[in-house]
Amino acid sequence: MWTEIDANITQVTGEKFQSSQRRSVGGGCINQGYSVCDAQRTYFVKFNQASQIAMFEAEALGLQQMYQTATIRVPKPICWGTAADSSYLVLEWLEMGSSNTKSWEDMGRKLAAMHKATSNQGFGSNINNTIGSTPQVNTWTADWAEFYAKHRLGYQFQLGRRRRGDFPQEKKLLEAIPELFATHKPQPSLVHGDLWGGNAGCTVSGEPVIFDPATYYGDREVDIAMTELFGGFSPAFYRGYNEVWRLDEGYEQRKTLYNLYHILNHFNLFGGGYLSQANRMISQILAISR
């Protein structure tokens, strides 16, 4: 397996690579991760079952899209494929360090710059991807309210019902979405799509980095909302972001609607108390819409 991966790296980079050291490192809760190196170079390799190659292809495309904006640092995808009974994705190795106020502010500024990358095809992407291990549908849609109702919340509700989730106000919420977006008409922005604290950090030199994306073109606020969901980012991050592109009026109300998507996804992945949390959020959103 490693011989095949080394050969793919060699072919893509044009430089002979033969890994001499391989070390298991954190790959998240879905994938296995390894550091592989020869005398000069180090790469990060993620593994999953061979059947998951489409997930890695989509991740590589998302990283390429973000990398090509030349805004915020992301690990550059090198190559991907299948070997033996595994699929793999080879990424640039980034030595991670600790963050400080300056690096958080810089992350906010650079994310805002990335969000200015737009699409004339509307909201979505050329390829479906995953949010965690859940499929994420990115069918191009001209209207943001329609996209969010159908391909984000509607799809998660559908999966939730299969897990015996009960959402008494689902229909009422989906019907209210056009009204909730009546005065908010965002441009399609290139978004990370899964921007919580575990998918952001800084290199040893203090340069901000984001990784493990679920990329598509959507309302930029989906990224900002998620940064507040699981513990929140440093206040310096939000200062930096607003210096470049101030958030629109009404964001504080919309962020609960956007974070509902991730709570529904957590219910579909893990079950437990996420169902009651989702239903509380739905009640909160509907109270705002009255």
Side-chain angles (χ1 to χ4, degrees), residues 15-35:
E15 298 179 15
K16 176 68 176 177
F17 181 81
Q18 185 172 354
S19 54
S20 56
Q21 292 184 341
R22 307 178 192 112
R23 176 172 57 90
S24 177
V25 295
C29 59
I30 297 170
N31 307 300
Q32 292 180 297
Y34 281 83
S35 161

Side-chain angles (χ1 to χ4, degrees), residues 66-227:
M66 293 192 293
Y67 186 86
Q68 288 166 1
T69 66
T71 53
I72 192 165
R73 185 76 178 268
V74 299
K76 183 179 180 181
I78 307 300
C79 58
W80 53 93
T82 57
D85 59 352
S86 297
S87 59
Y88 65 87
L89 171 62
V90 181
L91 303 172
E92 171 189 18
W93 176 266
L94 298 175
E95 199 69 44
M96 303 302 287
S98 58
S99 57
N100 55 40
T101 298
K102 182 181 181 302
S103 58
W104 278 113
E105 287 181 345
D106 201 26
M107 183 182 291
R109 294 186 195 102
K110 290 183 175 183
L111 182 69
M114 188 190 86
H115 283 165
K116 292 188 177 184
T118 191
S119 168
N120 58 12
Q121 294 179 263
F123 300 95
S125 179
N126 288 330
I127 189 170
N128 293 335
N129 49 21
T130 56
I131 181 76
S133 59
T134 306
Q136 181 168 260
V137 180
N138 295 322
T139 305
W140 288 111
T141 308
D143 181 71
W144 171 244
E146 178 185 349
F147 178 89
Y148 196 71
K150 182 177 181 180
H151 300 308
R152 291 297 177 262
L153 295 186
Y155 184 70
Q156 289 287 345
F157 280 132
Q158 177 184 335
L159 296 179
R161 289 193 300 275
R162 293 178 187 173
R163 286 188 59 100
R164 300 184 182 277
D166 181 27
F167 307 100
Q169 299 184 95
E170 171 192 345
K171 185 173 184 290
K172 187 181 294 186
L173 174 67
L174 294 177
E175 289 174 347
I177 285 179
E179 177 191 344
L180 291 167
F181 288 127
T183 61
H184 181 62
K185 304 298 179 185
Q187 72 166 43
S189 290
L190 182 64
V191 298
H192 177 282
D194 194 13
L195 193 57
W196 67 290
N199 290 342
C202 293
T203 66
V204 290
S205 65
E207 182 179 16
V209 182
I210 55 176
F211 40 86
D212 291 348
T215 312
Y216 63 99
Y217 286 90
D219 183 357
R220 65 192 176 112
E221 291 180 355
V222 300
D223 275 350
I224 305 304
M226 194 179 189
T227 67

Side-chain angles (χ1 to χ4, degrees), residues 19-66:
S19 54
S20 56
Q21 292 184 341
R22 307 178 192 112
R23 176 172 57 90
S24 177
V25 295
C29 59
I30 297 170
N31 307 300
Q32 292 180 297
Y34 281 83
S35 161
V36 299
C37 60
D38 63 6
Q40 286 88 30
R41 291 170 293 162
T42 303
Y43 296 103
F44 178 54
V45 185
K46 298 169 72 169
F47 288 100
N48 208 306
Q49 298 175 352
S51 60
Q52 299 301 309
I53 183 59
M55 177 180 70
F56 283 151
E57 290 174 342
E59 180 177 345
L61 174 63
L63 288 168
Q64 285 175 339
Q65 287 177 298
M66 293 192 293

